Amino acid sequence: MNWRKLNRWIHRELGFLFFGMTIIYGISGIALNHHAARHWDPGLITRSTTLQYPGTLSKSDVNRSSIEKILEITGEKENYKQYYFPSQDHIIIYLKGGHITVNMQTGSMQLTKVRNRPVFNELNYLHYNKPKKLWTWFSDLYAFGLILIAISGLFLIKGKKGIGGRGGILTIVGILIPLVFLIIYLWL
Amino acid sequence: MQKSILWVFIALLAVSCNQTTKKEGLTTEADKTEKIVTATINELLASPADYQDKEVAISGMVSHVCRHGGQKCFLVAEDGETQIRIVPGGEIDEFKVEMEGSTIAFKGIFRVLNAEQTEEHVEDHESKEHHDVEQSHSTAEKAEYFVEAIEFKDITP
């Protein structure tokens, strides 16, 4: 078999085989990038609602009935777990799937509900290699496949648009960009 | 071609199954030899040197789980104020946010950082601008002591 034909075969077959994996790692990669930059949490959806307790409270007022009243107002009676005082003026009531923070001085209550973000939660599970075991091997195989796809991609086209022409310039630019970031942010 | 792919998957499956068996064997062996010191959080913090690098068993309510990868959580002591930082170790990858408000029994190694390590830890924490306002667990977050959890169990009444 001609080496160019073999190269095209490798590029095409691995491209098909690892299409799903590339989408998984691509989407979760964007999510994790922004997670690292602390823009948002790709794994969790957090929703907050502000409500008002009728009146104010002091630490000594807090008992079963005041907690039940708060749960009733917030509609979270079924989800109650435990409560504690993070400070002199606040109570946190923990719920299944969230918590209520009560400012005892003002009676202001913030109900925070937390749930897993669909799709991203699953993609991140795979990206972080949480399944381990066989997934480690398959994702290693994918990583190796990706290297082969990249290398074989360099030699797909001959001529001006290939590695000897415009393709080569783009390849160099693509290598230089991360290098510039390393020079500016890490090495200097 | 099809045969080759099938063989690759069979080989991967075999390696994976073998790893699981080995891991189970190690856990059983470790269970036989360990010596655990049961202590309260306040006891640990009152005389950290006595417990340093020892395997301890503590329990309490989880007040907060770090949202950035679940790489730490905070346990409230019996006095309702003191907190201790717990980090995942052993087979634990992360702590789930669902643990907040649950009473959890942890088994792990009590670690105490030296002055230099503590300074590094605080600097690292502050550089990440973790919370905008002071939290009830802020002291424990910057403290030199923590527990590296090996196992945990939800014991919420």
Side-chain angles (χ1 to χ4, degrees), chain A residues 5 14 23 25 33 35 43 50 52 54 77 88 99 105 118 123 126 129 138 149 151-153 157 159 181 184:
Chain A
K5 208 171 172 187
L14 291 181
I23 297 299
Y25 278 84
N33 246 355
H35 186 218
T50 306
Q52 187 62 38
K77 219 167 181 176
Q88 284 301 312
H99 61 266
Q105 278 189 333
L123 296 183
L126 295 174
N129 189 15
F138 186 61
I149 290 170
I151 295 170
S152 57
I157 302 171
F181 275 86
I184 295 171

Side-chain angles (χ1 to χ4, degrees), chain A residues 86, chain B residues 64 131-139 141:
Chain B
H64 179 73
H131 293 289
D132 298 332
V133 289
E134 194 78 350
Q135 304 284 307
S136 63
H137 58 262
S138 291
T139 308
E141 193 151 34

Side-chain angles (χ1 to χ4, degrees), chain A residues 68-106:
Chain A
E68 278 183 1
K69 197 169 179 181
I70 293 167
L71 292 169
E72 211 166 285
I73 297 167
T74 52
E76 294 292 338
K77 219 167 181 176
E78 300 302 310
N79 296 324
Y80 174 70
K81 281 168 95 175
Q82 291 190 67
Y83 73 90
Y84 105 109
F85 299 95
S87 69
Q88 284 301 312
D89 306 329
H90 291 84
I91 326 169
I92 291 186
I93 302 169
Y94 290 100
L95 310 165
K96 286 172 197 151
H99 61 266
I100 308 163
T101 307
V102 184
N103 183 328
M104 293 190 285
Q105 278 189 333
T106 63

Side-chain angles (χ1 to χ4, degrees), chain B residues 53-64:
Chain B
D53 298 327
K54 286 186 181 161
E55 200 162 310
V56 295
I58 54 167
S59 61
M61 190 193 76
V62 174
S63 68
H64 179 73

Side-chain angles (χ1 to χ4, degrees), chain A residues 110-188:
Chain A
Q110 190 172 45
L111 168 65
T112 306
K113 298 290 284 178
V114 181
R115 66 183 172 94
N116 285 333
R117 193 183 294 277
V119 184
F120 281 100
N121 189 48
E122 285 76 14
L123 296 183
N124 292 346
Y125 176 79
L126 295 174
H127 196 132
Y128 273 127
N129 189 15
K130 299 276 171 67
K132 294 180 178 170
K133 300 170 190 168
L134 195 60
W135 182 254
T136 308
W137 291 88
F138 186 61
S139 51
D140 275 355
L141 200 68
Y142 165 64
F144 182 65
L146 207 56
I147 294 169
L148 284 180
I149 290 170
I151 295 170
S152 57
L154 295 177
F155 306 103
L156 279 183
I157 302 171
K158 286 190 275 188
K160 276 196 293 184
K161 290 181 182 172
I163 190 75
R166 201 181 71 185
I169 294 166
L170 285 174
T171 306
I172 291 167
V173 169
I175 293 169
L176 285 178
I177 290 171
L179 268 177
V180 168
F181 275 86
L182 283 175
I183 291 166
I184 295 171
Y185 292 106
L186 186 69
W187 296 331
L188 281 184

Side-chain angles (χ1 to χ4, degrees), chain B residues 76-131:
Chain B
V76 184
E78 314 70 48
D79 61 9
E81 286 180 12
T82 314
Q83 300 198 27
I84 191 166
R85 186 170 79 247
I86 315 279
V87 302
E91 295 287 306
I92 306 167
D93 289 327
E94 60 176 353
F95 299 124
K96 297 278 183 195
V97 76
E98 291 87 350
M99 288 167 71
E100 285 183 357
S102 298
T103 305
I104 307 283
F106 283 96
K107 190 173 89 178
I109 315 290
F110 183 65
R111 305 281 190 204
V112 183
L113 302 174
N114 62 33
E116 198 183 323
Q117 290 168 324
T118 308
E119 201 179 319
E120 230 170 74
H121 168 73
V122 172
E123 267 177 31
D124 180 53
H125 165 71
E126 282 171 356
S127 70
K128 286 175 182 162
E129 295 177 53
H130 196 67
H131 293 289

